Amino acid sequence: MTSQETLTYRELFKYMDGFLISKALFTACELGVFDLLQEMNAPLSANEISQKLNTSRHGIQRLLNIFESMQLLMSEKKNDTVCYQISQMAKKFLTKNSKENIVPWIKFYAQTVYACAHYSVPAVREGKQQTGKIFGELNSEFFDAMYSSTEQTTLYLEFLNCAWNIFGNDVVTAFDLSSFKNICDIGGGSGALATKIISVYPESRVTIFDLPKMIQGAKQCNLHVKDPRIYFQEGDFFQDPIPSADLYILARVIHVLPKEKCTELLRKVYEACNPGGAVLLVECILKESIDALLVNLLNFIMFLISKGGEYTEEEMTVLLENAGFQDVEIKITGTYFDVIIGRKAFK
């Protein structure tokens, strides 16, 4: 076996075991391993950690070994006892008090995405989403599934809030949006992305236009934004009139819908858009490069849980132009989400 074959062999097994890393992260976050180490602000032994978290010692030890290998924890010996302390990376992303924590993201994947991934073989064979097998046939559509219970609603909204809290600033600054004062966030849910908009563009006002169950769900979970510059309007994208605005934002909406519904919605947005206005799409662009793995995995996830998927730059441009928008620009941000803008000409 050559060195190159060995590298490929090791990488293959690393990819295969990737879901175990995710599960280990979810387990540690759920138990509070990282929160405990941050709060104590001092190295602790496996025995001390297990006692404080009321877990088995050998179970905690195996988790700690994983995170030390990932450099999320650091170890040192004290009187022949190995003690662990949290890394800066873990403090930033894996403790609940951090503004940049991704714990809700991890939790959503562990409880929703991986549950659907269990049915990946029938999904590929049948060529359709599998949410109905998890949430029941009455909740087979993506948004019905996400709002099938108070617990699932909270899980989903916290996941979205997490995404926009981390990447929202990159999204709203990818293009200069300062000329758009009247903004409509279609599918804006709790208003997490809208808060980023008004923080960067304080003279703007944002209308969150979303399904009643989305807005009511956010309010029931006490996750909705309370700001006089952000207004919530209930409605159905396809059945009700879309509020007029200078700029429309569709963040991770297009990738959930089948293509014909994307075209229908974008045409409706174009008709409602004020002359000289624009639409801003936030999606993950399919790429032909070494960075393609992440977006291809996301594309597969959307196949499992919805009737949508990700698009290439060319496909996204055609989608917007077919709806009437012009001068389409795409910004590959280099972070998790890419940003696309299409403009409506002055008449």
Side-chain angles (χ1 to χ4, degrees):
M1 184 178 290
T2 67
S3 59
Q4 183 60 43
E5 287 174 335
T6 303
L7 178 64
T8 303
Y9 170 83
R10 289 175 178 172
E11 286 180 343
L12 181 60
F13 271 81
K14 186 176 180 180
Y15 290 143
M16 185 174 67
D17 291 337
F19 84 100
L20 291 173
I21 296 174
S22 304
K23 284 293 188 180
L25 283 168
F26 169 67
T27 301
C29 290
E30 188 73 7
L31 293 173
V33 173
F34 300 112
D35 292 319
L36 173 65
L37 289 170
Q38 182 191 37
E39 289 167 11
M40 299 303 293
N41 197 30
L44 296 178
S45 68
N47 191 52
E48 290 172 321
I49 294 170
S50 67
Q51 288 179 353
K52 291 181 181 296
L53 298 180
N54 192 29
T55 70
S56 66
R57 184 197 177 285
H58 63 276
I60 279 292
Q61 183 65 71
R62 297 188 189 201
L63 274 181
L64 297 175
N65 291 343
I66 293 172
F67 301 129
E68 184 181 13
S69 299
M70 296 173 66
Q71 298 183 340
L72 292 173
L73 296 180
M74 299 167 290
S75 68
E76 61 181 67
K77 273 196 173 183
K78 285 189 174 182
N79 300 322
D80 295 326
T81 300
V82 177
C83 294
Y84 299 86
Q85 57 184 333
I86 190 170
S87 71
Q88 290 300 315
M89 178 70 76
K91 281 184 182 180
K92 183 176 182 180
F93 292 114
L94 298 173
T95 58
K96 293 176 182 176
N97 290 331
S98 170
K99 293 181 179 180
E100 296 179 276
N101 88 80
I102 62 169
V103 175
W105 196 310
I106 293 170
K107 191 173 181 179
F108 178 74
Y109 267 52
Q111 296 187 8
T112 301
V113 175
Y114 296 149
C116 292
H118 180 71
Y119 296 94
S120 58
V121 172
V124 173
R125 282 179 174 160
E126 298 166 14
K128 63 180 183 181
Q129 69 191 90
Q130 300 295 300
T131 46
K133 293 180 180 176
I134 303 298
F135 299 97
E137 288 307 316
L138 293 177
N139 298 309
S140 60
E141 295 300 323
F142 177 79
F143 289 117
D144 291 331
M146 294 305 100
Y147 287 78
S148 58
S149 68
T150 301
E151 293 75 19
Q152 183 62 40
T153 298
T154 303
L155 186 66
Y156 179 55
L157 289 172
E158 287 180 342
F159 159 67
L160 291 179
N161 288 2
C162 172
W164 302 133
N165 188 47
I166 297 172
F167 300 107
N169 195 68
D170 294 321
V171 165
V172 301
T173 58
F175 295 98
D176 182 2
L177 307 178
S178 59
S179 63
F180 305 111
K181 307 303 181 187
N182 181 11
I183 300 172
C184 180
D185 186 354
I186 295 181
S190 66
L193 185 57
T195 62
K196 296 295 183 180
I197 295 170
I198 61 174
S199 68
V200 177
Y201 309 103
E203 295 182 1
S204 65
R205 55 190 175 88
V206 184
T207 297
I208 306 294
F209 185 64
D210 212 332
L211 294 168
K213 59 186 174 184
M214 307 294 186
I215 294 175
Q216 292 304 318
K219 290 181 177 179
Q220 288 170 7
C221 300
N222 199 30
L223 292 171
H224 67 295
V225 172
K226 299 171 186 176
D227 189 289
R229 291 168 294 176
I230 298 175
Y231 170 72
F232 290 85
Q233 181 175 332
E234 297 179 1
D236 186 299
F237 309 157
F238 299 101
Q239 302 298 324
D240 300 317
I242 292 177
S244 64
D246 303 321
L247 175 70
Y248 293 88
I249 296 179
L250 283 81
R252 301 300 278 161
V253 172
I254 293 298
H255 79 144
V256 174
L257 303 172
K259 191 172 183 179
E260 63 273 15
K261 283 292 186 180
C262 294
T263 300
E264 180 184 347
L265 178 57
L266 287 172
R267 285 176 178 168
K268 194 171 180 181
V269 167
Y270 179 82
E271 291 301 320
C273 185
N274 294 330
V279 64
L280 191 81
L281 306 183
V282 182
E283 298 290 348
C284 298
I285 297 295
L286 283 172
K287 309 169 183 71
E288 294 181 1
S289 69
I290 195 170
D291 300 321
L293 178 60
L294 174 61
V295 70
N296 280 322
L297 288 172
L298 290 172
N299 200 29
F300 187 66
I301 289 172
M302 298 318 300
F303 171 68
L304 292 173
I305 66 177
S306 76
K307 294 180 180 177
E310 314 303 332
Y311 292 86
T312 65
E313 290 190 37
E314 183 180 359
E315 289 170 335
M316 192 64 76
T317 300
V318 170
L319 198 62
L320 284 169
E321 289 179 344
N322 285 345
F325 291 100
Q326 306 172 5
D327 302 324
V328 176
E329 293 182 71
I330 298 175
K331 285 283 181 72
I332 305 299
T333 66
T335 61
Y336 201 85
F337 300 112
D338 302 311
V339 187
I340 308 98
I341 193 168
R343 303 180 185 277
K344 183 174 180 176
F346 287 98
K347 291 184 180 179

